[in-house]
């Protein structure tokens, strides 16, 4: 499975009250995966990283990557981070995503991925943030295979 990070131009309707007519946003999308998996990985993994940790505000992406290194060394047992979208519960075995507002609910069930997948996506997103914020910027990365249980 691959993840693609790219810059999307969002254009508001002409009758919108916003002064600006368009805006550039860094987003991610899963490639080469079955449709059911694509939706989950897009909504949870890439949505959480590009939304909750958007643009590495306050160095959050760098902080989480350093914490993952400590986690892998056994210096700490768990990392919890997140934002308006999801709470990311990070352990050596998996990353568990819980909706920040609704918690566990039918529309947003708890979902998990492997730590390797999360780390690869986060490292790719960090590299992508170093690229110019341009429609021409794109980074495609491989995500490791694996399945994480949420129980």
């Amino acid at each position: 499975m691959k993840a693609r990070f790219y810059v999307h131009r969002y254009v508001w309707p002409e009758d919108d009250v916003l002064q600006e007519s368009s805006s550039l946003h860094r987003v991610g999308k899963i490639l080469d995966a079955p449709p059911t998996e694509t939706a989950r990985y897009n909504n949870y993994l890439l949505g959480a990283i590009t939304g909750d940790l958007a643009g590495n505000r306050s160095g959050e992406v760098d902080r989480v990557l350093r914490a993952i290194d400590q986690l892998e060394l056994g210096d700490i047992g768990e990392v919890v981070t997140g934002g308006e979208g999801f709470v990311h519960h990070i352990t050596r075995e998996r990353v568990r995503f819980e909706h920040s507002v609704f918690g566990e609910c039918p529309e947003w069930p708890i979902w998990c991925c492997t730590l390797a997948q999360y780390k690869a996506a986060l490292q790719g997103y960090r590299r992508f943030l170093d690229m110019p914020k341009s429609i021409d910027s794109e980074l495609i990365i491989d995500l490791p295979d694996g399945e994480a249980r949420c129980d």
Side-chain angles (χ1 to χ4, degrees):
M1 177 170 26
K2 297 182 182 297
R4 174 183 177 231
F5 294 102
Y6 61 102
V7 176
H8 172 76
R9 180 182 304 275
Y10 180 81
V11 179
W12 285 279
E14 287 183 28
D15 60 346
D16 198 306
V17 295
L18 295 173
Q19 297 295 321
E20 206 174 339
S21 62
S22 69
S23 173
L24 297 178
H25 298 277
R26 294 179 187 266
V27 295
K29 181 179 179 181
I30 291 295
L31 307 173
D32 303 330
T36 56
E37 291 301 305
T38 298
R40 289 185 192 122
Y41 279 86
N42 280 336
N43 290 336
Y44 288 88
L45 177 62
L46 297 183
I49 287 173
T50 61
D52 295 333
L53 309 177
N56 200 24
R57 293 184 298 252
S58 306
E60 189 67 7
V61 172
D62 297 326
R63 186 191 70 75
V64 173
L65 284 170
R66 283 191 305 273
I68 289 172
D69 289 341
Q70 291 179 306
L71 188 69
E72 291 176 326
L73 292 170
D75 295 341
I76 58 176
E78 181 181 29
V79 178
V80 178
T81 191
E84 293 179 7
F86 296 95
V87 178
H88 313 201
H89 301 272
I90 307 166
T91 66
R92 281 185 221 106
E93 293 77 35
R94 61 171 167 72
V95 178
R96 181 177 177 267
F97 296 92
E98 180 179 350
H99 198 277
S100 293
V101 175
F102 305 115
E104 185 173 2
C105 66
E107 293 81 10
W108 291 101
I110 301 294
W111 184 80
C112 296
C113 68
T114 67
L115 177 61
Q117 291 167 333
Y118 184 83
K119 183 178 179 180
L122 197 57
Q123 288 172 329
Y125 182 59
R126 182 65 186 95
R127 288 195 318 269
F128 178 64
L129 292 174
D130 288 336
M131 298 170 71
K133 191 173 185 179
S134 159
I135 288 294
D136 299 324
S137 293
E138 175 184 66
L139 178 67
I140 297 175
I141 62 163
D142 288 312
L143 291 177
D145 292 333
E147 189 175 325
R149 295 180 51 137
C150 287
D151 48 13

